[in-house]
Amino acid sequence: MRARPRTALVTALLALLVGLLVAPQAAAQKPAPAAASTTFRNPLNTGPDPFLAYANGAYHLTTTQGDSIRMWRSPSLATLLDADPITVWTDTEASRNQHIWAPEFYRFGNRWYLYYTADDGTDDHHRLYVLESERDDPAGPYHFKAKLTPPNHANDFAIDPGILQHDGRLYLAYSGINPYQHNGLNIAPMSNPYTVSGDAVAIDAAGGCPEVREGPEFLNRNGRTWMTYSTCDTGKPDYQVWMMSLPNGADPLVPGNWTQRSGPVFSRADDRGVFGPGHHAFFTSPDGTEDWLIYHAKTTSTYTYDNRTTRAQKITWNADGSPDLGMPLALGATQNLPSGDPGSGNHWINDDGRSSGSGSVAYTGTWNSGTGCAAQCFWSDDHWSDQAGNTATFGFTGTRIALLSVKDTGNGIAAISVDGGPEQRVDFYGAIRTGETLQYLSPRLANGPHTLRVRVTGERNASSGAAFVSVDRAEVYTD
């Protein structure tokens, strides 16, 4: 073998030495991965009427969007709020391309079936429909499969389809016209996931108010099927969940086989700032050991359909075998993730500087601060200012940041910028005061250290009574 020239050997040694010196510096500049957090905070989504299933290594979530069906998916429950939506269905058929509400999706065989309600622009023309997936993926793509019409209600108002699986058979449950309510509970037999095979029967369900029985959902355990459903107008703070049960082996199409549970099983919690909890669904943890509830609720007792946000919490089981849905938790309460959830690098930053991670917040100018917002704020406190030029600057390490705070009739316009870049004007005004409302979600960023600045402009829209900008919770993501 020929000897290497001395100059080549020296060059190689120098290159190796430089590499040893430079590599550690380059590695030091790359942020270390955040330790996986085992907790999360609501909301999971800004929409109402949620449905969620865990499949193919990810949570899949739908909420009512109105003009289409969108789905959010994430490997952790903690990162659903910053997940980007996938549009899984739009429709050009004029009879069913408006007011698309309450989608739910179930797996039968190796296909997914997505159930929903839609109309032609007139509410009383709402009818039920089902899509079928092209492959074994809840995110689709889907094709239109069928209209779901019990023969005795073929031309009647119907919303909120849900699927009952009982004793190996399928049934369509929904809210629609019956002798008890315009929005009453009905159950019809199905011969397969997309065919109604007989008349619907009406269920005379109690509810503490006369007007609504909707959103039927089902659990089967301890020898019974438990049907939970929402009652009262969803715009009211008293929207709530009631329950009936059916023994295994009993025919669900015989109304007398259902046993009514007395009183609501999930309802408003004023001391926690939770109003109108309902339109819910159930899901199991990734490892199948826990049962969870997903639902929408509001942070205001005002009669309104706005600001219904998606939330989740774990449920337990009573000694008599019935599900215990518990009490709704305050928006922003820190909870343990479902068992088997891989966790996330998320952390929160409070307006007073406390943080569950490495985040921080610094203020310029004089800001008001206090605990007057109580349950409407994270850690029951916030900062606010109407003085133009005052700033709040969050320092964080991650890929995205969300700002949540009070919307109010006296709030004004903020100018928000990331890493000193262009400012985006964000209006913090709300016609009804609501707490921990998502005000801003940053663009996705390269993983690393960043700053987000909130500048008070002193400006307001014509409807607002003042120009305050509120600072409360920041949620930092690293996905």
Side-chain angles (χ1 to χ4, degrees), residues 36-388:
S37 171
T38 59
T39 61
F40 78 101
R41 286 154 296 281
N42 289 315
L44 304 182
N45 189 273
T46 58
D49 308 333
F51 188 86
L52 185 145
Y54 185 85
N56 301 340
Y59 299 90
H60 295 74
L61 169 70
T62 53
T63 61
T64 288
Q65 297 298 301
D67 61 346
S68 64
I69 298 175
R70 298 185 185 96
M71 186 174 288
W72 290 260
R73 60 183 175 187
S74 171
S76 175
L77 202 67
T79 48
L80 272 171
L81 184 63
D82 87 313
D84 295 321
I86 305 162
T87 299
V88 299
W89 184 251
T90 58
D91 207 327
T92 58
E93 169 54 50
S95 65
R96 58 173 193 257
N97 66 355
Q98 298 184 58
H99 300 157
I100 300 172
W101 296 348
E104 300 192 359
F105 48 99
Y106 302 80
R107 184 175 185 264
F108 297 111
N110 62 353
R111 293 291 182 267
W112 290 81
Y113 293 87
L114 197 158
Y115 301 84
Y116 66 102
T117 182
D119 67 24
D120 57 2
T122 299
D123 180 44
D124 241 19
H125 295 169
H126 266 106
R127 301 293 185 266
L128 307 179
Y129 303 98
V130 61
L131 312 174
E132 183 182 62
S133 69
E134 303 285 348
R135 55 177 182 261
D136 190 1
D137 187 345
Y142 285 93
H143 59 264
F144 185 82
K145 189 65 176 178
K147 183 178 180 180
L148 300 171
T149 53
N152 60 332
H153 288 294
N155 297 306
D156 292 337
F157 169 87
I159 61 170
D160 295 353
I163 300 300
L164 165 61
Q165 301 176 64
H166 182 75
D167 290 338
R169 296 180 179 178
L170 296 180
Y171 300 85
L172 173 69
Y174 66 96
S175 177
I177 292 174
N178 69 21
Y180 310 108
Q181 288 94 20
H182 180 276
N183 293 43
L185 295 182
N186 299 278
I187 301 176
M190 303 182 77
S191 57
N192 57 46
Y194 48 87
T195 306
V196 176
S197 57
D199 287 347
V201 299
I203 305 296
D204 186 8
C209 59
E211 68 266 28
V212 170
R213 309 288 184 265
E214 63 186 15
E217 296 293 334
F218 302 94
L219 290 168
N220 185 272
R221 185 162 168 173
N222 302 322
R224 300 187 77 84
T225 287
W226 307 90
M227 176 172 65
T228 52
Y229 54 94
S230 299
T231 76
C232 302
D233 188 320
T234 189
K236 293 182 176 180
D238 289 316
Y239 193 61
Q240 58 193 246
V241 178
W242 285 56
M243 184 167 69
M244 306 180 81
S245 68
L246 176 78
N248 288 355
D251 186 350
L253 298 176
V254 176
N257 287 341
W258 291 94
T259 301
Q260 180 73 56
R261 184 82 166 217
S262 177
V265 293
F266 199 64
S267 57
R268 62 188 285 175
D270 295 39
D271 60 330
R272 300 178 178 188
V274 181
F275 302 93
H279 202 112
H280 62 294
F282 300 102
F283 67 98
T284 56
S285 59
D287 66 4
T289 64
E290 297 173 347
D291 295 301
W292 282 71
L293 173 72
I294 191 164
Y295 62 100
H296 77 230
K298 302 179 292 188
T299 60
T300 176
S301 61
T302 303
Y303 190 142
T304 177
Y305 298 103
D306 294 332
N307 302 113
R308 295 172 294 163
T309 59
T310 291
R311 308 149 187 229
Q313 61 188 73
K314 184 181 174 183
I315 69 170
T316 57
W317 292 84
N318 295 309
D320 67 357
S322 63
D324 182 354
L325 307 193
M327 290 182 62
L329 298 173
L331 186 63
T334 296
Q335 303 178 62
N336 290 328
L337 285 164
S339 182
D341 188 302
S344 71
N346 291 20
H347 65 273
W348 53 259
I349 307 170
N350 191 45
D351 63 284
D352 67 358
R354 287 176 291 177
S355 177
S356 61
S358 59
S360 63
V361 61
Y363 298 92
T364 64
T366 302
W367 289 70
N368 302 299
S369 63
T371 58
C373 58
Q376 285 191 315
C377 288
F378 188 63
W379 289 103
S380 302
D381 61 3
D382 67 346
H383 278 62
W384 65 97
S385 173
D386 64 349
Q387 299 301 303

